[in-house]
Amino acid sequence: MEVYMPVLKTSPLFAGLDDADIRAALACLGAKRIARKKKQHLFRSGDRLTSLGVVLSGAVQIYQEDYYGNRNVFGNIGPGGLFGESFACAAIDSVPVSAVASEAGEMLFLDCRRLATPCENACGFHARLIRNLMDVLARKNVALTQRLEFTGRRTTREKALAYLFEQARLAGSSRFSIPFDRQELADYLCVERSGLSSELAKLRDEGVIQFHKNEFELLDR
Amino acid sequence: MEVYMPVLKTSPLFAGLDDADIRAALACLGAKRIARKKKQHLFRSGDRLTSLGVVLSGAVQIYQEDYYGNRNVFGNIGPGGLFGESFACAAIDSVPVSAVASEAGEMLFLDCRRLATPCENACGFHARLIRNLMDVLARKNVALTQRLEFTGRRTTREKALAYLFEQARLAGSSRFSIPFDRQELADYLCVERSGLSSELAKLRDEGVIQFHKNEFELLDR
DNA sequence: ATTGGTATGTTGAAAATTCAACGAAACGGA
DNA sequence: TCCGTTTCGTTGAATTTTCAACATACCAAT
């Protein structure tokens, strides 16, 4: 576990905690470490979830899938990132999403219920953990709201542009790369991959954007 | 303020706090009470928000609006409910949504920053408030995820059905009423009002549903 | 360099949505 | 009751998306 201390220290969940605190917290929250190969699942839609996940290495993708195989991607979480925390915290009895390792790696599960009850060891950092979790939840909330801002647009073109402008703003540059391939971006924006491709091509032909793979650039005029 | 104590006691933010705690908390968080007539705004997209709102009476609608006037409705909050808490907690410098009184009433604003820092009066309920806020955020997260589950569907018909089935599940009955009028439901599902109307009519003609205004019933078979 | 596998781009036809416009119904006051 | 306003339903044309199929590009391994 020690090898992952640097990762854990970067995790927003453990912000403000020193190494000793983190070690104690892991014990206190009944940390379970597991390994997953690429495409193996962490949990599936319908499962009951009482633990939140922390990515130690590799990456985890959260998604939904309907009858017809349409995927709805909720995010890719890298090392230090949390997943499933909303459902675990809200004590939902059946999660509406699935989690799969998009890159092989190791993940940690921490019992959310133990967060709630102040533990017998009188861990002084419980309050801080809850505070941190609150921040994470608030930020995810903002991210979800923003995604709704993209997907709520009426046309594929508007969705794509809204997303690209926001990415540029986040990157602080008109050149940036996105964390999705085409299919994933289409799923994220809730549109058809081929339609997205041709719309992007149209935007390029019109001189609005420039791109190669997942490297994009917004052109001035 | 005393007249609103019953409402505040039902608010998830104050769960587990007694009257004395709530009064102290209001003082501690610099509570500001304001009144709004119908259609008056609480805050607008682009504002900076450091306080979270609590509805005392009336109702508040959270929405977004793009260049073309397309509305994106994020929710209607009634007495006891919270609004703006994600943005205030995440310390966003510019909120992406607007809040308007959909029904005239009074609202309370509580300074989120004072929640973070343990106050000089050593309020014992700070921890509990943060815990409560965490729960609220987690549940809103789940609600946003669910909305994405509806809006992510490809057709108006599927969006409407997914929404109606979920409402029936929540109501625990095949008969239920929804908190939106047609335009609002269309905005919530990110579709065209007229298209939604005709799709609902089609579902009725097919014997799948029955409805009058915002009273719906799912028919077996 | 070849090969297989995956990601991306392109196209045209079918399907669905949006848009604009209008009529009917419901509602609340005067 | 009448009137003005708002909500809801309907329609057809224009626009856009989806769907299916295939072409091309890219990458990694042999």
Side-chain angles (χ1 to χ4, degrees):
Chain A
M1 199 60 230
E2 284 304 310
V3 292
Y4 287 122
M5 285 305 288
V7 176
L8 292 177
K9 291 182 81 164
T10 69
S11 174
L13 179 61
F14 296 114
L17 273 63
D18 61 29
D19 287 31
D21 285 341
I22 295 180
R23 284 190 198 93
L26 293 182
C28 184
L29 299 177
K32 285 212 179 64
R33 186 167 133 200
I34 57 166
R36 284 289 182 275
K37 300 204 177 94
K38 190 167 180 170
K39 295 195 178 172
Q40 281 188 323
H41 275 78
L42 281 307
F43 59 79
R44 285 173 189 277
S45 159
D47 288 356
R48 180 185 210 81
L49 203 61
T50 58
S51 301
L52 65 84
V54 183
V55 178
L56 296 173
S57 63
V60 171
Q61 183 178 77
I62 307 297
Y63 71 94
Q64 247 172 17
E65 207 162 33
D66 69 15
Y67 310 111
Y68 311 109
N70 287 320
R71 275 194 151 216
N72 197 341
V73 175
F74 283 86
N76 284 304
I77 296 108
L82 271 51
F83 62 94
E85 75 289 348
S86 306
F87 309 111
C89 286
I92 294 297
D93 33 54
S94 157
V95 296
V97 299
S98 299
V100 68
S102 51
E103 297 299 335
E106 294 196 280
M107 298 87 194
L108 210 58
F109 276 105
L110 305 176
D111 194 328
C112 234
R113 292 166 303 187
R114 297 207 208 169
L115 250 183
T117 57
C119 82
E120 52 282 358
N121 309 328
C123 303
F125 44 77
H126 259 196
R128 181 64 198 242
L129 281 176
I130 293 178
R131 184 68 226 293
N132 287 345
L133 202 44
M134 193 194 80
D135 281 339
V136 170
L137 287 171
R139 279 197 291 269
K140 280 220 177 168
N141 236 307
V142 174
L144 283 172
T145 301
Q146 192 147 61
R147 183 175 170 203
L148 240 2
E149 190 174 341
F150 304 145
T151 63
R153 299 283 162 90
R154 292 305 199 258
T155 66
T156 299
R157 183 192 183 89
E158 282 179 71
K159 291 179 195 185
L161 277 177
Y163 174 77
L164 292 175
F165 275 121
E166 178 59 18
Q167 291 303 307
R169 196 184 67 78
L170 286 179
S173 159
S174 62
R175 304 194 57 157
F176 54 90
S177 64
I178 66 174
F180 296 126
D181 64 24
R182 286 291 179 284
Q183 182 63 63
E184 288 170 333
L185 179 58
D187 291 342
Y188 178 82
L189 297 176
C190 300
V191 296
E192 189 62 25
R193 179 194 60 81
S194 66
L196 175 62
S197 264
S198 70
E199 206 61 55
L200 288 175
K202 217 176 287 180
L203 285 169
R204 185 198 18 208
D205 296 345
E206 293 172 15
V208 181
I209 64 174
Q210 198 57 254
F211 64 90
H212 176 69
K213 291 266 177 183
N214 58 356
E215 302 280 340
F216 286 79
E217 179 174 7
L218 300 184
L219 304 178
D220 296 334
R221 194 265 63 114
Chain B
M1 199 59 230
E2 283 304 311
V3 292
Y4 288 122
M5 284 305 287
V7 176
L8 292 178
K9 291 182 81 165
T10 69
S11 173
L13 179 61
F14 296 114
L17 272 64
D18 61 29
D19 288 30
D21 285 341
I22 295 180
R23 284 189 199 93
L26 293 182
C28 183
L29 299 177
K32 285 213 179 63
R33 186 168 133 200
I34 57 167
R36 284 289 181 275
K37 299 202 177 96
K38 191 168 179 168
K39 295 195 178 174
Q40 281 189 324
H41 276 78
L42 281 305
F43 60 78
R44 285 173 188 277
S45 159
D47 288 355
R48 181 185 209 81
L49 203 61
T50 57
S51 300
L52 64 84
V54 184
V55 178
L56 296 173
S57 63
V60 172
Q61 183 178 78
I62 307 296
Y63 71 94
Q64 248 174 16
E65 208 162 33
D66 68 15
Y67 310 111
Y68 310 108
N70 287 321
R71 274 193 152 217
N72 197 340
V73 175
F74 282 86
N76 284 304
I77 297 108
L82 271 49
F83 62 93
E85 75 289 347
S86 305
F87 309 111
C89 285
I92 294 296
D93 33 53
S94 157
V95 295
V97 299
S98 299
V100 69
S102 51
E103 298 297 336
E106 295 196 279
M107 299 87 193
L108 210 57
F109 276 104
L110 306 175
D111 193 329
C112 234
R113 292 165 303 185
R114 297 208 207 167
L115 251 182
T117 57
C119 82
E120 53 283 357
N121 310 328
C123 303
F125 45 75
H126 260 195
R128 180 63 197 241
L129 281 175
I130 293 178
R131 184 67 227 291
N132 287 345
L133 201 45
M134 193 193 81
D135 281 340
V136 170
L137 288 171
R139 279 196 290 269
K140 281 222 176 167
N141 236 303
V142 173
L144 284 171
T145 301
Q146 192 148 61
R147 183 174 170 205
L148 239 2
E149 189 175 341
F150 303 146
T151 63
R153 299 284 163 91
R154 292 304 199 260
T155 66
T156 299
R157 183 192 184 88
E158 283 179 70
K159 291 179 194 184
L161 277 177
Y163 174 77
L164 293 175
F165 276 120
E166 177 60 17
Q167 290 303 305
R169 195 183 68 77
L170 287 179
S173 159
S174 61
R175 304 193 56 156
F176 54 90
S177 64
I178 66 173
F180 296 128
D181 64 24
R182 286 290 178 284
Q183 182 63 63
E184 288 170 334
L185 179 57
D187 291 341
Y188 179 82
L189 297 177
C190 301
V191 297
E192 189 61 24
R193 180 194 60 80
S194 68
L196 174 62
S197 264
S198 69
E199 207 61 55
L200 288 175
K202 216 175 288 180
L203 285 168
R204 179 190 346 116
D205 296 345
E206 293 172 14
V208 181
I209 64 174
Q210 198 60 253
F211 63 91
H212 176 68
K213 292 266 177 184
N214 56 356
E215 302 280 339
F216 286 79
E217 179 175 6
L218 300 184
L219 305 178
D220 312 322
R221 212 212 61 75

